[in-house]
Amino acid sequence: MNRTLFAAASAIALVALAACGDNQSAAPQGARAGGILAVGSSTVFPFASRVAENFARTSGGAAPRVESLGTGGGIQRFCEGVGPGTADIANASRPMKKSEFELCQKNGVTEIVEIKIGFDGIVIATARNGEAMNFRLQDLYLGLAKDVPGAGGAFVANPATTWNQVNPGLPAQRIQVYGPPPTSGTRDAFLELGMAPGAKLIPTLASIEDKDRFEALAHTLREDNAWIDSGENDNAIVQTLTRTPGSLGVFGFSFLEQNMDTVKAETIDGVAPSAATIADGSYPLARSLYIYVKKQHIGVTPGLKEFVTEFMSDAAAGRGGYLQDRGLVPLPADQLAAQRAVIAAMTPMASPQ
């Protein structure tokens, strides 16, 4: 089944987990009647959905509900509080921010368990019949930043309309990139791994000592339709590329793997995204994926710890597991063992720095 059909089926099929845990009568007042709820990243969504389906088969109950809200939106909902109506898990395609952690603490979510589930890469893709492009990191900044250095070092509104104006080695192709919105962890990671490092390769930006000023310039994308926010549905971006010749899309490697018949990835600094280059870090836009678990719901939401354990099992997150078939790049064996130890002890994370 291709990813589009899979996501649609998941959206229809994923319903609240029936009360299948034991000792429900002893559950605290905050016990969830509707079962496990995981919210957040569109990149993690298909992985969490696949685990939910498998968990339902093995537990005999209905699948946990998984909602794709984007990393930022998912963590915000996760941090709303503890008890009925609040999420058990936040799916994230970037680490939790200090401000998000503090929001959780303020709202009584005082014990959060961070689990790294594997790796993914952010790809710059085009339709299969599109012209090949080999981007340098600085090309991403020069093509997509709202403001760029102009004459005399002053910053001006980005004047580039075609990629060869950014880099003569690129084709004379209109700059039109479809990507995720501000709530998306994929967008956050693209800014951190692509735009900011690319900006640092440009002397005018590298010389900026004011961290906030640099970040404002490196992290602000164009608003003139060269960059187009396309919602939290990465499948929609994939479909747009096939309908819009010459356009590019920014989304997770896992979606590329599921759509190789229609789209292809461009190289970054001569490196193509693959399971190997993402795992060893040689692909510049490689990242880690996470789930955040509300420890205060362990023993309250039936089956929550068992679901998280299934997520990191050999059958799911291990090398050759069913999540690798969906495009997840597995953790090395020692890292996987370390994450399982975190689950076994339900060790709360410290505040991000």
Side-chain angles (χ1 to χ4, degrees):
M1 180 183 295
N2 66 33
R3 180 166 301 275
T4 303
L5 294 177
F6 171 77
S10 297
I12 296 170
L14 296 179
V15 293
L17 179 65
C20 61
D22 53 10
N23 197 27
Q24 293 180 58
S25 61
Q29 184 177 357
R32 177 190 298 282
I36 299 168
L37 173 61
V39 298
S41 166
S42 63
T43 300
V44 178
F45 172 79
F47 304 136
S49 298
R50 178 67 180 83
V51 177
E53 291 176 342
N54 196 72
F55 182 75
R57 284 196 298 271
T58 57
S59 69
R65 192 165 81 248
V66 183
E67 297 180 3
S68 178
L69 306 177
T71 295
I75 292 178
Q76 184 175 19
R77 185 166 176 188
F78 175 82
C79 291
E80 286 177 349
V82 175
T86 66
D88 303 290
I89 294 171
N91 300 324
S93 55
R94 58 158 172 81
M96 180 178 284
K97 299 176 182 178
K98 183 176 181 180
S99 60
E100 293 167 335
F101 182 86
E102 290 172 346
L103 175 64
C104 270
Q105 301 295 305
K106 178 182 177 181
N107 291 337
V109 184
T110 56
E111 294 183 296
I112 305 166
V113 181
E114 179 185 71
I115 301 162
K116 183 191 293 187
I117 64 168
F119 303 108
D120 184 36
I122 300 167
V123 302
I124 316 296
T126 191
R128 289 292 309 173
N129 59 356
E131 191 168 355
M133 303 174 74
N134 176 30
F135 288 107
R136 305 169 304 171
L137 272 178
Q138 59 264 48
D139 296 336
L140 302 180
Y141 169 80
L142 291 171
L144 296 173
K146 181 179 180 180
D147 295 314
V148 296
F155 283 86
V156 299
N158 197 326
T161 58
T162 59
W163 284 109
N164 67 325
Q165 293 172 348
V166 169
N167 175 358
L170 295 174
Q173 182 171 298
R174 179 176 55 160
I175 299 174
Q176 184 178 35
V177 179
Y178 293 87
T183 54
S184 170
T186 297
R187 178 171 172 143
D188 290 338
F190 177 69
L191 297 177
E192 292 288 346
L193 299 174
M195 293 289 287
K200 288 178 181 177
L201 294 173
I202 298 166
T204 304
L205 282 111
S207 65
I208 296 176
E209 296 181 357
D210 184 331
K211 181 180 178 181
D212 291 338
R213 170 67 171 158
F214 173 84
E215 186 170 300
L217 290 165
H219 286 193
T220 303
L221 295 167
R222 298 175 68 162
E223 299 171 350
D224 57 358
N225 290 322
W227 172 277
I228 303 166
D229 286 346
S230 301
E232 294 289 357
N233 186 349
D234 289 355
N235 283 298
I237 299 177
V238 171
Q239 293 164 18
T240 297
L241 300 184
T242 63
R243 298 194 301 265
T244 312
S247 64
L248 299 169
V250 174
F251 48 82
F253 173 73
S254 57
F255 286 89
L256 173 73
E257 284 217 315
Q258 297 298 316
N259 293 278
M260 293 289 284
D261 57 331
T262 57
V263 296
K264 63 181 180 180
E266 311 296 354
T267 59
I268 308 292
D269 287 341
V271 182
S274 68
T277 60
I278 290 169
D280 67 19
S282 59
Y283 179 65
L285 305 188
R287 61 176 172 173
S288 299
L289 303 178
Y290 301 87
I291 60 174
Y292 291 91
V293 182
K294 196 171 289 178
K295 185 175 181 179
Q296 289 144 291
H297 282 193
I298 298 292
V300 177
T301 300
L304 178 57
K305 187 170 185 179
E306 291 77 10
F307 173 69
V308 175
T309 300
E310 166 65 21
F311 213 128
M312 300 306 291
S313 67
D314 276 335
R319 193 163 300 278
Y322 58 76
L323 293 184
Q324 185 174 359
D325 290 341
R326 294 288 179 187
L328 183 72
V329 177
L331 296 171
D334 59 336
Q335 292 187 36
L336 182 58
Q339 296 305 305
R340 287 173 177 161
V342 171
I343 294 171
M346 277 289 138
T347 307
M349 66 182 288
S351 174
Q353 298 303 310

